[in-house]
Amino acid sequence: MPTDNSVAILGLGWLGEPLARTLQAGGTRVCGTTTGADKAGWLNESGIAALVWDFNEPLPPCWPAALAADTLLLCVPPGKVADYAATLGGLARLAVAGGVRRILFTSATSVYGGSGVKREPDAAADSARGERMLAAEQAVRDSGARVLVLRLSGLVGGSRDPGRFLAGRRFEGGDEPVNLVALEDLLGFIPAILAREDWPDTLNVSAPHHPSRRDFYQRAARLRGLPPPEFDGGGEGKTIDGNALCRWLGMDYGVSDWFAWLAARRPLD
């Protein structure tokens, strides 16, 4: 049976694995899923109960006993699942039937279209990816659990090195602002969210510094010794406001200056 201090993470990947280790270190019982048997093996050896599960396969008739938990974290990237909304909705309903009480779903800020400042009520997708994420959000909400949707901006940190993202290529929209969140901030925010019961419905996660794509990615590439990207044109773009999260938690983003963050990650000569 699930306990109050237990979390199941579907997707022990770039975010899910370090988050599991952070929660485990804080005394939370953590279990989760991965698609690789080898990875599941060494996760289990380190105390994180990991189940091999391919979400492109038909869902089982009932929630696996190995994933019994009070809270479910859905950290499944859309590129890993063919029918994203239907699959996540099915997983959420299955989890609720298996005793899961709360679901934290890591969505994305692609649900915001157009330009200008975007806050939580402003979702209006103008891309296929954004529409797919909005559909997935609704499918998870329809599960009957208490759901908090975390709309994450671009993910950096850990193995995701922004200096390599665009190096040596040419793009439009050099004046558009970047909307990013660092892994280290997510590892601070999410445990604090899980410690509370008064969840809002939706929160954006986006650091408060929004330099232009040109300035950020060119500097990131140069600090890695890589050819910087070139940009044509300007572009207004959109700025994701992630301040509601800070007001609710009483916490600030650790990364408030992306240029300082890039410099701190510069390889030693």
Side-chain angles (χ1 to χ4, degrees):
M1 294 295 292
T3 62
D4 288 345
N5 196 30
S6 57
V7 174
I9 302 176
L10 298 196
L12 291 167
W14 177 86
L15 172 59
E17 182 187 344
L19 180 58
R21 298 193 184 283
T22 299
L23 293 170
Q24 183 187 53
T28 299
R29 184 180 68 79
V30 184
C31 53
T33 68
T34 181
T35 57
D38 288 346
K39 184 173 183 178
W42 53 259
L43 284 170
N44 279 291
E45 289 174 0
S46 67
I48 298 171
L51 182 71
V52 178
W53 195 344
D54 181 351
F55 299 121
N56 287 302
E57 297 294 328
L59 297 181
C62 58
W63 189 246
L67 298 177
D70 176 72
T71 303
L72 174 67
L73 268 66
L74 285 172
C75 296
V76 182
K80 301 290 186 179
V81 180
D83 194 343
Y84 192 62
T87 299
L88 263 63
L91 286 168
R93 291 190 299 273
L94 202 65
V96 171
V100 165
R101 183 175 62 89
R102 308 187 300 173
I103 300 176
L104 186 67
F105 173 39
T106 56
S107 183
T109 55
S110 58
V111 300
Y112 300 108
S115 59
V117 177
K118 302 297 177 181
R119 299 180 179 87
E120 286 80 359
D122 299 329
D126 62 358
S127 68
R129 187 174 190 275
E131 291 172 356
R132 179 169 53 175
M133 293 304 297
L134 277 178
E137 289 184 7
Q138 189 58 52
V140 174
R141 293 191 196 281
D142 289 343
S143 66
R146 181 74 183 96
V147 175
L148 169 53
V149 171
L150 279 187
R151 292 175 178 157
L152 308 184
S153 292
L155 305 171
V156 295
S159 62
R160 295 180 64 87
D161 180 358
R164 303 181 186 279
F165 287 177
L166 310 183
R169 293 183 286 166
R170 183 176 291 275
F171 299 89
E172 297 288 337
D175 292 338
E176 295 179 8
V178 298
N179 298 285
L180 301 168
V181 60
L183 177 61
E184 53 260 47
D185 271 330
L186 292 172
L187 296 182
F189 286 141
I190 293 178
I193 290 169
L194 296 176
R196 295 182 60 155
E197 288 291 337
D198 59 330
W199 282 8
D201 291 334
T202 310
L203 288 168
N204 293 336
V205 192
S206 185
H209 186 207
H210 303 275
S212 71
R213 296 177 71 218
R214 179 183 293 105
D215 289 346
F216 178 80
Y217 286 109
Q218 287 185 345
R219 185 175 304 200
R222 289 190 179 105
L223 285 171
R224 286 289 172 182
L226 298 172
E230 298 297 328
F231 291 91
D232 297 322
E236 181 182 355
K238 59 191 176 188
T239 299
I240 306 300
D241 184 343
N243 291 319
L245 172 68
C246 297
R247 292 191 295 270
W248 177 61
L249 285 178
M251 298 172 63
D252 292 324
Y253 288 86
V255 179
S256 58
D257 183 328
W258 285 115
F259 298 142
W261 182 85
L262 287 171
R265 286 171 55 88
R266 181 177 183 175
L268 296 176
D269 294 331

